[in-house]
Amino acid sequence: MNIFNRLHAGCLLIQLLFLAGSPLARADDLLSVFQLAEQSDPQFQAAIAAHSAALEVVPQSLAALLPDLSLSGDVSWNRFHDR
């Protein structure tokens, strides 16, 4: 029976060491756990990027309605010598 208690205690110690090394173990409250989940979820990050891209469509569409201003110029100089 003593061997089983030591084995059980060893397994608990290993589990606690793994748990202490995980980022969720260092979270203080539910908000920090949620923020860690947001940062590490690629599907959530893709949704944020898609939303930001959709919001950028409006200014780009309005820019097409604005006047376009351009300026160009050309300077040339020819010297002609008559012999």
Side-chain angles (χ1 to χ4, degrees), residues 2 5-6 9 20 29-31 39 43 51 59 61 66 71-72:
N2 194 2
N5 286 340
R6 287 185 183 185
D29 55 359
L30 185 60
L31 179 62
Q39 292 171 357
Q43 190 174 12
H51 178 69
S61 299
L66 295 175
L71 178 67
S72 65

Side-chain angles (χ1 to χ4, degrees), residues 46-57:
I48 289 176
H51 178 69
S52 297
L55 290 178
E56 189 60 32
V57 170

Side-chain angles (χ1 to χ4, degrees), residues 23-27 30-41:
L24 289 178
R26 289 185 234 125
L30 185 60
L31 179 62
S32 58
V33 171
F34 181 73
Q35 289 172 344
L36 281 172
E38 279 182 340
Q39 292 171 357
S40 63
D41 186 12

Side-chain angles (χ1 to χ4, degrees), residues 4 7 13-15 18 46 48-49 51 54 56 61 63 69 72 76:
F4 291 117
L7 183 62
L13 180 63
I14 290 172
Q15 289 175 354
F18 280 125
I48 289 176
H51 178 69
E56 189 60 32
S61 299
L69 182 65
S72 65
S76 64

